[in-house]
Amino acid sequence: MLDDPASASRPSASRRRFLAAAAGAGALAASGRGANAADGNPKNLPPNVPEWTRVLGDGVAVRPYGQPSKFEKHVVRRDVAWLTASPESSVSFTPLHELDGIITPSGLCFERHHAGIAEIDPADYGLMLHGLVDKPLMLTLDDLKRFPRVNRIHFLECAANSGMEWRGAQLNGCQYTHGMVHCVEYTGVPLRLLLQEAGLKTNAKWLLAEGADAAAMNRSIPLEKALDDCLVAYRMNGEMLRPEQGYPARLVVPGWEGNIWVKWLRRLKVGDQPWYTREETSKYTDLLASGRARKFTFEMDAKSVITSPSPQTPLRGKGFTVISGLAWSGRGKIKRVDVSLDGGRNWRAAKIDGLVLDKACVRFYAEHDWNGEELLLQSRAVDDTGYVQPTKAALREVRGINSIYHNNGIQTWRLLPSGEVENVEVS
Ligand SMILES: Nc1nc2c(c(=O)[nH]1)N[C@H]1C(S)=C(S)[C@@H](COP(=O)(O)O)O[C@H]1N2
Ligand SMILES: [Mo]
């Protein structure tokens, strides 16, 4: 017997939990990241009997809705206070550096709201479909659920993702430079079926989608896209949409800028021309070097980022390491991801692991035996149209530096001998 679990001196289960939490928090503060065996109490290491083996754990249903381990409290959405004037019209960023695979856990999906989160009672929910149609519709949530449905995994990227980096390296962490992207499995009705049910007039060309939030955010969508692969989704990752993501229904517009994925969807109007709403004139247009603005940049160009190592996930020592990242393209499938360790002079193909889907994130890995020297880490996505993710310099040549949106330039992380990582640019 290694130890006596029935020893009278053993503290209560709740005290043990408190001690464990304190130890975890200490390790976290000291290293800036999750606990590691080297920081811990050797008494808990095999072959000793650890604290958690000496007590009964919580029973079932003590946690009716499961939450991550308390030791993962640092894995959260974060915002940048100075970025926006108010939290109601703001953005929180996905902690990409703490995630793996391609699916973003629902509670970690970045949020972008123009007027806060609308709280909609599904019993009072209605979706109106009108305009140039034969038969206007008013659909309840139950009506939507009665239509044939599909499941699709797609990325959603805000057009403003990496928007703070146009004038140079700015924010230290891929959560902030690239965290306005998430990739989720949606369940919903193909928009085509709803439009067919209403019956389109022959002059129908555009669709207006409007949200039920205090911004009543609205955008014009070409009918061609609406009839192609758009969904009215009511589920994400199997469960109903989260309030932050548009509960009870949102538009899914695969490959297109996040702004057009209208949340809390309440109205679809069919017309014969675009409406030129605020979100497609004053916002979400791209000011070019010439001073002219480009309108309707719907598609998100191929992009990638190394999520680890990155400023928030430094390396803890020399030796074998897995460089990991995400790539996506709004035009189709990712065909290849290249990784460079020397700021783009030499490239090698990374390993793509897991699903490779249309207009979805892919996960890539590049293995490296790090000898402690400084590296300039980059990744470069290539999609199945042959499009190659450009350098930031190449992008600025075409776009100038007055843009906010659609910055898909190659990101550089400088890995220092200490293992720390910085956001830099190479020329
Ligand atoms: N009704 C409504 N829909 C909206 C928004 C909004 O503020 N209101 N924000 C848009 C923007 S700019 C983006 S990038 C995406 C963000 O989706 P998410 O919050 O699920 O990440 O939703 C879009 N749909
Ligand atoms: Mo956005």
Side-chain angles (χ1 to χ4, degrees), residues 110 112 114 156-160 180 257-259 284 405:
F110 86 92
R112 170 77 180 97
H114 286 70
L156 180 168
E157 184 184 17
C158 177
M180 277 196 258
E257 62 183 10
N259 183 256
Y284 298 96
Y405 308 109

Side-chain angles (χ1 to χ4, degrees), residues 110 112 114 158 182 213 217 245 250 258-259 261 263 284:
F110 86 92
R112 170 77 180 97
H114 286 70
C158 177
H182 51 62
D213 52 333
M217 216 211 71
Q245 265 65 48
R250 88 174 305 166
N259 183 256
W261 296 48
K263 302 192 277 191
Y284 298 96

Side-chain angles (χ1 to χ4, degrees), residues 300-369:
M300 299 308 294
D301 288 319
K303 186 164 170 178
S304 66
V305 65
I306 291 173
T307 52
S308 171
S310 65
Q312 297 156 286
T313 39
L315 283 189
R316 298 196 112 201
K318 293 181 199 175
F320 182 83
T321 186
V322 178
I323 297 166
S324 172
L326 283 173
W328 59 94
S329 167
R331 294 217 176 76
K333 288 191 172 106
I334 288 294
K335 195 174 76 187
R336 203 181 77 227
V337 182
D338 300 321
V339 165
S340 175
L341 307 179
D342 56 9
R345 282 192 194 86
N346 296 286
W347 294 94
R348 58 166 154 147
K351 210 188 313 181
I352 292 179
D353 185 80
L355 296 172
V356 178
L357 300 168
D358 202 40
K359 299 160 191 163
C361 287
V362 302
R363 174 60 58 180
F364 68 85
Y365 298 118
E367 291 157 6
H368 179 62
D369 202 2

Side-chain angles (χ1 to χ4, degrees), residues 78-244:
R78 291 196 165 84
D79 64 349
V80 176
W82 53 262
L83 215 53
T84 55
S86 80
E88 292 82 15
S89 178
S90 192
V91 57
S92 69
F93 299 89
T94 309
L96 297 177
H97 59 293
E98 294 283 1
L99 302 178
D100 215 321
I102 64 167
I103 298 293
T104 315
S106 300
L108 295 176
C109 286
F110 86 92
E111 316 152 85
R112 170 77 180 97
H113 319 309
H114 286 70
I117 301 164
E119 209 174 284
I120 299 177
D121 180 344
D124 293 341
Y125 174 78
L127 172 61
M128 181 174 171
L129 207 173
H130 67 138
L132 298 177
V133 295
D134 300 327
K135 182 180 65 167
L137 303 176
M138 177 67 93
L139 302 165
T140 65
L141 189 57
D142 282 342
D143 293 336
L144 283 179
K145 289 180 173 174
R146 234 172 269 136
F147 276 85
R149 74 190 83 120
V150 296
N151 298 295
R152 297 281 182 273
I153 296 175
H154 289 298
F155 79 85
L156 180 168
E157 184 184 17
C158 177
N161 202 18
S162 315
M164 286 78 74
E165 307 285 308
W166 275 105
R167 288 154 196 259
Q170 168 92 233
L171 295 171
N172 228 16
C174 70
Q175 179 165 19
Y176 307 112
T177 56
H178 289 75
M180 277 196 258
V181 67
H182 51 62
C183 187
V184 159
E185 184 187 39
Y186 297 96
T187 307
V189 194
L191 182 51
R192 178 180 9 95
L193 298 183
L194 301 181
L195 294 170
Q196 280 167 359
E197 177 75 12
L200 293 169
K201 300 271 194 209
T202 50
N203 55 337
K205 282 208 171 59
W206 286 80
L207 188 67
L208 180 78
E210 181 186 78
D213 52 333
M217 216 211 71
N218 55 5
R219 283 288 306 254
S220 310
I221 304 157
L223 209 52
E224 219 177 34
K225 179 68 173 175
L227 292 169
D228 179 17
D229 56 359
C230 294
L231 308 179
V232 174
Y234 43 85
R235 293 183 180 275
M236 62 192 288
N237 296 333
E239 58 185 359
M240 286 300 285
L241 289 177
R242 293 288 170 90
E244 301 92 306

